[in-house]
Amino acid sequence: MLSRYEQFSYIVSGINRYIQKLERDEMIKFGYKGAFAQYLVAMHHYPQGVTAAQLSEICDKDKAAVSRIVSEMISKGLVVRKSATETMYRAKLTLSKEGEKVAQFVASRASAAIEAMGNELTEEQRKILYFALDNISDKLHTLSKEGIPQE
């Protein structure tokens, strides 16, 4: 019998793996990396621009990972850096026309996936699920900063 830890960690790992696979499968249609998906969709919500530091916070990714992905997206023509004189973390980043097109596609495919996966849940069950996931995320975030309490 699996412990609560094993059951929880296997489920969360599986969810993450399946999300990454779906992102790869959708982004490959454009010849891009799956890792671009989350960043493009996030940036889509900030048409006025967002800094890499803000993107790091929004996507909950470390700054080095954001820097690498943003540099790749700039080189592929998906993202435009508004100021060449600002550092990567301070310069406003916006989506190019191609970036906006891909972001809209990915956002619509993500909505379709969420709809398909949750079509058996009632609205009340969905609210409880998201409440629980948000609570778990907050608690794990605190534990990761403060450590696991000693027994």
Side-chain angles (χ1 to χ4, degrees):
M1 180 165 175
L2 294 178
S3 70
R4 282 177 47 194
Y5 165 75
E6 290 168 316
Q7 185 177 19
F8 175 78
S9 64
Y10 295 162
I11 290 168
V12 171
S13 292
I15 289 169
N16 188 50
R17 185 175 66 249
Y18 301 135
I19 288 171
Q20 289 177 346
K21 182 183 181 329
L22 290 170
E23 289 171 343
R24 272 192 313 272
D25 291 350
E26 295 304 317
M27 293 300 290
I28 202 161
K29 295 173 183 176
F30 293 92
Y32 300 126
K33 290 181 174 182
F36 292 2
Q38 186 179 28
Y39 298 101
L40 292 172
V41 172
M43 290 180 70
H44 173 70
H45 294 288
Y46 297 90
Q48 74 285 0
V50 63
T51 66
Q54 291 169 320
L55 200 54
S56 174
E57 288 291 316
I58 294 163
C59 296
D60 197 20
K61 304 286 186 185
D62 68 65
K63 290 180 181 178
V66 172
S67 181
R68 281 190 304 275
I69 294 296
V70 166
S71 291
E72 284 186 64
M73 291 191 302
I74 289 171
S75 72
K76 302 272 187 200
L78 296 169
V79 171
V80 176
R81 185 174 167 184
K82 288 294 183 184
S83 172
T85 60
E86 297 273 2
T87 66
M88 175 66 87
Y89 293 112
R90 296 179 71 130
K92 287 281 186 175
L93 305 166
T94 59
L95 294 174
S96 67
K97 286 184 183 183
E98 173 70 6
E100 185 60 38
K101 179 179 112 182
V102 175
Q104 286 177 353
F105 174 80
V106 171
S108 73
R109 296 299 292 153
S111 292
I114 293 294
E115 194 62 38
M117 98 174 164
N119 64 5
E120 296 176 8
L121 297 175
T122 66
E123 191 56 36
E124 184 63 25
Q125 289 170 323
R126 190 173 291 110
K127 285 179 185 176
I128 292 168
L129 170 68
Y130 286 117
F131 172 82
L133 289 172
D134 191 45
N135 186 282
I136 290 166
S137 179
D138 286 347
K139 299 286 188 207
L140 287 171
H141 183 247
T142 299
L143 288 173
S144 73
K145 284 185 167 182
E146 298 173 6
I148 301 171
Q150 298 299 318
E151 291 184 24

